[in-house]
Amino acid sequence: MSYTLGIDYGTNSVRALVVDVANGRELGVGVVDYPSGKQGVLTDSGDHHLARQHPGDYLFGLEHSVRTAMANAADDPDFSPDKVVGIGVDTTGSSPLPVDENNVPLALLPKWKDDLAAQCWLWKDHTSHAEAARITELAAKYRPHFIAKCGNTYSSEWWWSKIWKCSVVAPEVFDAAFSWVELCDYIPSVLAGVTDPRKITRGICAAGHKALYSEDWNGLPDKAFLAMIDPKLADLRDRLYEKAYDATVTVGGLCAEWARKLGLPEGIPIAIGEFDVHYGAIACGVDEGTLVKVIGTSTCDCAVVPTHKAVADIPGICGIVPGAILPGYYGIEAGQSAVGDIFKWWVEGVCGGDGSLHARLTEEAARLKPGQSGLIALDWNNGNRTILVDPMLSGLIVGQTLHTTRAQIYRALIEATAFGARAIIERIREYNVTIDRVVCAGGIAEKNPLLMQIYADITGCTMHVAGSSQACALGSAISAAVLAGEYPDFAAAQAAMSSLKSESYSPNASNQAVYNELYAIYRTLHDAFGGVTKTADLSRVMKRLIELRRRS
Amino acid sequence: MSYTLGIDYGTNSVRALVVDVANGRELGVGVVDYPSGKQGVLTDSGDHHLARQHPGDYLFGLEHSVRTAMANAADDPDFSPDKVVGIGVDTTGSSPLPVDENNVPLALLPKWKDDLAAQCWLWKDHTSHAEAARITELAAKYRPHFIAKCGNTYSSEWWWSKIWKCSVVAPEVFDAAFSWVELCDYIPSVLAGVTDPRKITRGICAAGHKALYSEDWNGLPDKAFLAMIDPKLADLRDRLYEKAYDATVTVGGLCAEWARKLGLPEGIPIAIGEFDVHYGAIACGVDEGTLVKVIGTSTCDCAVVPTHKAVADIPGICGIVPGAILPGYYGIEAGQSAVGDIFKWWVEGVCGGDGSLHARLTEEAARLKPGQSGLIALDWNNGNRTILVDPMLSGLIVGQTLHTTRAQIYRALIEATAFGARAIIERIREYNVTIDRVVCAGGIAEKNPLLMQIYADITGCTMHVAGSSQACALGSAISAAVLAGEYPDFAAAQAAMSSLKSESYSPNASNQAVYNELYAIYRTLHDAFGGVTKTADLSRVMKRLIELRRRS
């Protein structure tokens, strides 16, 4: 009998999970909310694009979540800490943080502890949109291959945009940083006791398109290109890394200090860090033909194609990186910048309600038929990640009358995110990547059958739900199990350790017919406001919505 | 010493006002809420376009509002009922109702009392949009001059659309009706004891463009044209009227029955009935160069030009009718289908608040700078009356983030109605009608300085406020005073009996500059969704809003 530990760093909390390697059974869990900021996020009232996190929260959360998970697992008489054979870690990303030459985050030093620029730049920080646009421009001109695999657009959510932004707005922080590290590489490095940032084993998952890393051009972007952005970035390159690795490689063994803190055997292997949804996709059974959607505050979509097959560059898709999810496969990543966050904004931010209002609006919205509200919305309150890759977009709702209700708007917002999901699936398919199964994970997928049915009706795909409600942590634990030699490969580990829930959601043909018409309107608005077309005919939009309302 | 009585039929209540003819002093008021329906409006949950009123409410309200006003006026020792020298009446419109051969509304007969089609078809009833479109089409083809003075579009809010709709959906009601009468003609006819619909003295205010009446074509539309719409309408023409009159003509003297009911001298003159805002405009000092805006649930705009001057046909403007407001002047009428109704929808319908939330959101919205919310909205939740004349439009809000607040949306909705107001002013000016002064009336104008300042900043016009909070009833009383021979003409009566409040709202130059940029975006959306252009470039809309937000 052996167990692995999966540790999942989310946006608001960290979760540790003790898993039975034989069958994926979850023995114990520990969740710690980050103590700092607003639900763990440091914000700036003057700039809603800013989102940072205090690295101290990560270490605090690491110790307490694992200790709680272990204590809970100990309720099982078969379990004992010495049977834990490996640890996997996943985190949000791209979430880079500056560290000193000892691999200590600057924000843990007294001098920088309150400086927002010295914190971890959380994935959803969009302050560097101008920098992202400039990197896109320079790459398009001088290194088009750099961005060809990430939809030809470099994002403000990614590594270089954020680090450059720091150099521009907080040069004193940038200068004080010896190196920068992705959160998903930082936590494993802490567990492995790495005290020199140059010696961190970095994962290709985060390096891939986020840091523009590829073996095709010998790793990170060349210094000449970085110097065009900012000479300081060219200098930084020497203090980063030459090579990034997939999940067949270990970061090292658990160091003595953290073995003691966590009550675990010293030296057990630490798996390479990946982004939460990438490991989550593994726990959802990602394989060729399966799209995994992790639906939370935002949505991340993952698909894989074996590396022996050719994959075209797909415009607007975030990244196509070998080994980014599963070793031996290209990882294809897409996503929507806000999903649950939009519902939360509506219910809590605008309507001033709480969890019970979510439930009430869901109930009312469930009684509406497709088209009945006469509304349509765009799901861009936090910009568009895929397929427009443009954070400088915003929300839109059209079709309101004097009788429009909050529940109708709630449903229109759910539909908007489903239309966004459909746009992603269509784009991936256009480039001959098969999607014949969709598996969803995340709290929303489990708890909101209305949303799942709408997603099925709008995308035309049957929606399956992951068996675990802690898919990301489970995926990390699976990776640790493979690395510890418990399984010969990921496919075998997935087969044994992951599962689907029995219920699934199939498209309803008559709803699909109405939604096909609404999707056409969504695309008209999407293309007009998203800048795909500069000669949009919107003269019929409101009339079509009224017609659909009447028909329903 | 003499007094007149002004009676104002609004959407939810009727108000009677006793006025001192010498100086416009208001001695007594009586307000009666209509007892039927939802705040006086009969609705149909299956069709939110439907809005009707029960005629019994009008007679009930007539007696009780006048009696209350008289009782209150009696507190003044100088007042006595025998000193009342005339009565003026204004109502909403176009609000036609079917009557039998004795001028009794069908809905007062047991057989029809519960039939929605037999009630008064309230101004804001939009059920006949298809009929309006067809009348527009036929007129454009066969009688273009009929609609040239009403913006080339016949509205679903008007006389023929509604009567035709009745003939289509409720032929039994149409067949039972001997004639139809506008509410503003019906009430004076009751006071004057007219018992034959053919003998009602009808006002040109309602007849004008609403019933397509003009002396240029010998009154109502010819029977051949009406027969193209519906042969039944051609037959009905014989039971309507040949001539309509301006406010120099009396409808008759107060009949014995109503003199007794109201406690007033028999035989005193009843002024011709006009729409509420037309008489309201008179009480606001309407004259060449002055635009009067009555801002309530919807907004009506009135301007006048002397009939000896030429006025071009103005596309999208509701009506240009000689004598419709002031005798000797063309009346120019425009409007917005929903203003206060939009704020009410947002605060009460969506946010679930009450009057105190209106106040709180106003306070929060007042702290925002122009452009700061990053939002822009269209004011079309109830369609667009001017300048698009299209009820088949709807609301739109764009620019939402995850941080957008209800107060920001509230302010964006106020701004949207102000942009709509500016579009009207610009359209009227484009056709060489001078507007150098704006006078506002209605509860919103009096009670919401934030809205008034935004209107000033967005339109670039100084906003004055009418001295009376009961401008429509006061205007009716002024008309009665002129008719009773107390003044030689309207100008003299206006000078003596009407006034402005001392405070006014002047444009703030720096706000104006930002709003000019936002108005350009509003017009882009307006023209795109309103069908003015079929090749709209909206690719910069969201980015411009974000830029303006940052600048503010």
Side-chain angles (χ1 to χ4, degrees):
Chain A
M1 267 183 197
S2 53
Y3 304 91
T4 51
L5 194 64
I7 306 172
D8 165 44
Y9 281 87
T11 299
N12 311 113
S13 60
V14 52
R15 162 183 317 260
L17 189 67
V18 177
V19 177
D20 186 334
V21 163
N23 51 23
R25 189 166 59 95
E26 299 170 4
L27 275 81
V29 65
V31 180
V32 175
D33 292 331
Y34 302 134
S36 307
K38 202 172 160 184
Q39 297 186 283
V41 182
L42 308 175
T43 56
D44 176 351
S45 61
D47 182 0
H48 73 256
H49 286 303
L50 189 143
R52 309 277 156 87
Q53 281 184 327
H54 184 57
D57 289 4
Y58 300 140
L59 301 181
F60 172 85
L62 178 59
E63 187 169 347
H64 291 87
S65 66
V66 172
R67 284 212 160 267
T68 305
M70 297 285 288
N72 290 336
D75 289 348
D76 188 312
D78 292 334
F79 176 80
S80 68
D82 60 297
K83 293 181 185 160
V84 175
V85 298
I87 304 178
V89 175
D90 68 84
T91 75
T92 69
S94 170
S95 302
L97 62 154
V99 293
D100 71 6
E101 65 277 22
N102 301 316
N103 199 28
V104 174
L106 291 192
L108 295 186
L109 306 175
K111 179 171 181 187
W112 303 110
K113 75 180 172 47
D114 295 324
D115 193 315
L116 280 172
Q119 313 297 320
C120 181
W121 292 51
L122 191 61
W123 66 276
K124 67 177 177 178
D125 186 293
H126 285 160
T127 50
S128 56
H129 45 81
E131 287 70 20
R134 179 68 182 147
I135 293 172
T136 299
E137 203 176 278
L138 286 169
K141 194 160 176 189
Y142 300 105
R143 305 286 191 280
H145 50 290
F146 281 4
I147 53 172
K149 301 256 178 237
C150 59
N152 285 318
T153 311
Y154 195 76
S155 165
S156 65
E157 291 185 1
W158 297 345
W159 175 266
W160 292 113
S161 303
K162 286 169 167 164
I163 297 177
W164 183 22
K165 181 76 178 184
C166 178
S167 151
V168 172
V169 298
E172 67 291 355
V173 171
F174 184 91
D175 294 342
F178 177 78
S179 187
W180 287 72
V181 58
E182 277 281 356
L183 178 56
C184 71
D185 293 327
Y186 171 71
I187 301 295
S189 79
V190 167
L191 290 171
V194 179
T195 54
D196 178 345
R198 284 166 300 193
K199 296 193 176 149
I200 300 171
T201 306
R202 314 239 187 176
I204 196 166
C205 171
H209 57 285
K210 263 93 179 185
L212 295 175
Y213 172 99
S214 172
E215 298 197 351
D216 293 350
W217 50 84
N218 298 312
L220 293 171
D222 53 279
K223 291 178 85 165
F225 178 72
L226 292 175
M228 281 190 257
I229 301 174
D230 183 340
K232 286 180 170 183
L233 293 183
D235 292 344
L236 175 65
R237 189 187 193 283
D238 293 332
R239 307 189 305 273
L240 294 171
Y241 52 94
E242 287 301 318
K243 190 160 165 58
Y245 300 88
D246 69 19
T248 56
V249 170
T250 180
V251 167
L254 183 63
C255 69
E257 182 193 347
W258 278 93
R260 195 178 60 244
K261 280 187 187 170
L262 304 179
L264 285 169
E266 191 179 335
I268 56 171
I270 313 298
I272 204 95
E274 287 199 4
F275 289 158
D276 39 18
V277 292
H278 290 215
Y279 272 151
I282 289 174
C284 293
V286 74
D287 196 1
E288 192 177 9
T290 295
L291 178 76
V292 171
K293 296 181 74 66
V294 181
I295 308 177
T297 53
S298 66
T299 286
C300 287
D301 297 339
C302 292
V304 295
V305 175
T307 45
H308 62 80
K309 293 196 177 176
V311 180
D313 299 335
I314 309 178
I317 295 299
C318 303
I320 302 172
V321 175
I325 299 172
L326 272 181
Y329 291 80
Y330 289 106
I332 299 177
E333 190 191 332
Q336 293 171 263
S337 313
V339 175
D341 269 349
I342 296 184
F343 314 143
K344 189 182 164 85
W345 161 73
W346 180 249
V347 176
E348 300 173 27
V350 177
C351 296
D354 53 12
S356 74
L357 185 59
H358 273 281
R360 211 170 76 223
L361 293 187
T362 300
E363 202 178 295
E364 283 177 48
R367 286 198 293 268
L368 297 168
K369 291 193 213 97
Q372 190 181 340
S373 70
L375 296 172
I376 202 162
L378 290 175
D379 49 323
W380 299 350
N381 288 44
N382 197 23
N384 176 297
R385 192 186 302 158
T386 310
I387 54 179
L388 297 169
V389 202
D390 188 349
M392 296 284 283
L393 296 173
S394 56
L396 178 148
I397 306 176
V398 58
Q400 298 93 327
T401 69
L402 296 172
H403 305 270
T404 299
T405 66
R406 44 169 77 178
Q408 289 175 332
I409 294 176
Y410 186 67
R411 184 172 175 122
L413 294 171
I414 294 175
E415 291 168 346
T417 65
F419 291 133
R422 175 165 167 174
I424 292 171
I425 291 173
E426 291 193 350
R427 174 58 56 91
I428 293 175
R429 282 180 174 158
E430 274 166 39
Y431 287 79
N432 300 317
V433 174
T434 307
I435 297 179
D436 50 28
R437 198 173 80 124
V438 178
V439 178
C440 301
I444 291 179
E446 286 180 11
K447 290 177 202 153
N448 197 326
L450 169 67
L451 176 137
M452 292 299 284
Q453 186 59 50
I454 290 174
Y455 271 53
D457 292 342
I458 286 181
T459 63
C461 300
T462 295
M463 297 276 139
H464 299 277
V465 183
S468 170
S469 13
Q470 320 189 76
C472 300
L474 176 60
S476 295
I478 291 174
S479 182
V482 175
L483 199 71
E486 300 282 328
Y487 290 100
D489 54 33
F490 275 86
Q494 284 178 299
M497 295 177 72
S498 77
S499 63
L500 294 183
K501 286 205 169 36
S502 55
E503 74 264 32
S504 65
Y505 303 85
S506 303
N508 167 304
S510 69
N511 289 351
Q512 259 188 291
V514 179
Y515 279 134
N516 284 339
E517 298 190 61
L518 281 165
Y519 181 67
I521 300 174
Y522 175 87
R523 281 310 296 252
T524 301
L525 294 169
H526 174 285
D527 291 356
F529 284 92
V532 177
T533 172
K534 294 195 172 173
T535 55
D537 179 3
L538 300 171
S539 61
R540 297 275 315 149
V541 165
M542 291 176 178
K543 293 177 190 353
R544 287 285 297 134
L545 289 172
I546 293 171
E547 284 161 22
L548 286 168
R549 187 177 71 209
R550 294 212 175 122
R551 253 173 39 199
S552 89
Chain B
M1 269 186 197
S2 52
Y3 305 91
T4 51
L5 195 64
I7 306 172
D8 165 44
Y9 282 86
T11 299
N12 311 111
S13 60
V14 52
R15 162 183 316 262
L17 190 66
V18 177
V19 177
D20 186 334
V21 164
N23 50 24
R25 189 166 58 93
E26 299 169 5
L27 275 81
V29 65
V31 180
V32 175
D33 293 330
Y34 303 133
S36 307
K38 202 172 158 183
Q39 296 187 284
V41 182
L42 308 175
T43 56
D44 176 352
S45 61
D47 182 359
H48 73 254
H49 285 304
L50 189 143
R52 308 278 156 85
Q53 281 184 328
H54 183 58
D57 290 3
Y58 300 140
L59 302 181
F60 172 84
L62 178 60
E63 187 169 347
H64 291 88
S65 66
V66 172
R67 283 212 161 268
T68 305
M70 296 286 287
N72 290 336
D75 289 347
D76 188 311
D78 292 335
F79 176 79
S80 69
D82 60 298
K83 292 179 186 161
V84 175
V85 297
I87 303 177
V89 176
D90 68 84
T91 75
T92 68
S94 171
S95 301
L97 62 154
V99 293
D100 71 6
E101 63 278 20
N102 301 314
N103 198 29
V104 174
L106 292 192
L108 296 185
L109 306 175
K111 179 170 181 187
W112 304 109
K113 74 181 172 48
D114 295 323
D115 193 315
L116 280 172
Q119 313 296 319
C120 181
W121 292 51
L122 191 61
W123 65 275
K124 68 176 176 179
D125 186 292
H126 285 161
T127 50
S128 56
H129 45 84
E131 287 72 19
R134 179 69 183 145
I135 293 173
T136 298
E137 202 175 279
L138 286 169
K141 192 159 177 191
Y142 300 105
R143 304 287 191 278
H145 49 290
F146 281 4
I147 52 170
K149 302 255 178 240
C150 59
N152 284 319
T153 310
Y154 195 76
S155 166
S156 65
E157 291 186 0
W158 298 346
W159 175 266
W160 292 114
S161 303
K162 286 169 168 165
I163 297 176
W164 183 21
K165 181 75 178 186
C166 179
S167 151
V168 172
V169 298
E172 66 293 354
V173 171
F174 184 92
D175 294 342
F178 178 79
S179 188
W180 286 72
V181 57
E182 276 283 356
L183 178 56
C184 71
D185 293 328
Y186 171 71
I187 302 296
S189 80
V190 168
L191 290 170
V194 179
T195 54
D196 179 343
R198 286 166 299 193
K199 295 193 176 148
I200 300 171
T201 305
R202 314 239 188 176
I204 195 166
C205 171
H209 57 283
K210 262 95 180 185
L212 294 175
Y213 172 98
S214 172
E215 298 196 350
D216 294 352
W217 50 83
N218 297 313
L220 292 170
D222 54 280
K223 290 177 86 166
F225 177 73
L226 292 176
M228 282 191 258
I229 302 174
D230 182 341
K232 286 181 171 182
L233 292 184
D235 292 345
L236 174 64
R237 190 187 193 281
D238 293 332
R239 308 189 306 273
L240 293 172
Y241 53 94
E242 288 300 319
K243 190 159 164 58
Y245 302 88
D246 69 19
T248 57
V249 169
T250 180
V251 166
L254 183 64
C255 69
E257 183 193 347
W258 277 94
R260 196 179 59 246
K261 280 187 187 170
L262 303 179
L264 285 169
E266 191 180 336
I268 56 171
I270 313 297
I272 203 97
E274 288 197 3
F275 289 157
D276 40 17
V277 292
H278 290 214
Y279 272 152
I282 289 175
C284 293
V286 74
D287 196 1
E288 192 178 8
T290 295
L291 178 76
V292 171
K293 295 181 75 66
V294 181
I295 309 177
T297 52
S298 66
T299 287
C300 287
D301 299 340
C302 292
V304 295
V305 176
T307 45
H308 61 80
K309 293 195 177 177
V311 181
D313 299 335
I314 309 178
I317 295 298
C318 304
I320 302 171
V321 175
I325 298 171
L326 272 180
Y329 291 80
Y330 289 107
I332 299 177
E333 191 192 331
Q336 293 169 263
S337 312
V339 175
D341 269 350
I342 295 184
F343 314 143
K344 189 182 165 83
W345 161 72
W346 180 248
V347 176
E348 299 171 28
V350 177
C351 297
D354 54 11
S356 75
L357 185 59
H358 273 281
R360 211 170 75 223
L361 293 186
T362 300
E363 203 179 294
E364 282 177 48
R367 285 198 292 269
L368 297 167
K369 291 193 214 98
Q372 191 182 339
S373 69
L375 297 172
I376 201 161
L378 290 175
D379 50 322
W380 299 350
N381 288 44
N382 196 25
N384 177 297
R385 193 187 300 157
T386 309
I387 55 181
L388 297 170
V389 203
D390 188 348
M392 296 284 283
L393 296 173
S394 56
L396 178 148
I397 305 178
V398 59
Q400 298 92 327
T401 68
L402 296 172
H403 305 269
T404 298
T405 65
R406 44 170 76 177
Q408 288 175 332
I409 294 175
Y410 186 67
R411 183 171 176 124
L413 294 171
I414 294 175
E415 290 168 346
T417 65
F419 291 133
R422 174 164 166 175
I424 293 171
I425 292 173
E426 290 192 352
R427 175 57 57 91
I428 294 175
R429 282 180 175 159
E430 273 166 40
Y431 287 80
N432 300 316
V433 174
T434 306
I435 296 177
D436 49 28
R437 200 173 77 124
V438 179
V439 178
C440 301
I444 290 179
E446 285 181 10
K447 289 177 203 152
N448 197 326
L450 169 67
L451 176 137
M452 292 298 283
Q453 186 60 50
I454 289 173
Y455 272 54
D457 292 342
I458 286 181
T459 63
C461 299
T462 296
M463 297 276 139
H464 300 276
V465 183
S468 171
S469 14
Q470 320 189 75
C472 300
L474 177 59
S476 295
I478 292 174
S479 181
V482 175
L483 200 71
E486 300 283 329
Y487 289 101
D489 55 31
F490 275 87
Q494 283 177 298
M497 295 176 73
S498 78
S499 64
L500 295 182
K501 286 207 168 35
S502 55
E503 72 264 33
S504 64
Y505 303 84
S506 305
N508 167 304
S510 68
N511 290 351
Q512 259 188 290
V514 179
Y515 278 134
N516 284 339
E517 299 189 61
L518 281 165
Y519 181 67
I521 300 173
Y522 174 87
R523 282 310 297 253
T524 301
L525 295 169
H526 174 285
D527 291 357
F529 285 91
V532 177
T533 173
K534 295 196 174 174
T535 55
D537 179 3
L538 299 171
S539 61
R540 295 277 313 151
V541 165
M542 291 175 178
K543 294 176 189 355
R544 287 285 296 134
L545 290 172
I546 293 172
E547 284 161 21
L548 286 168
R549 186 178 71 209
R550 293 210 175 124
R551 255 173 38 200
S552 88

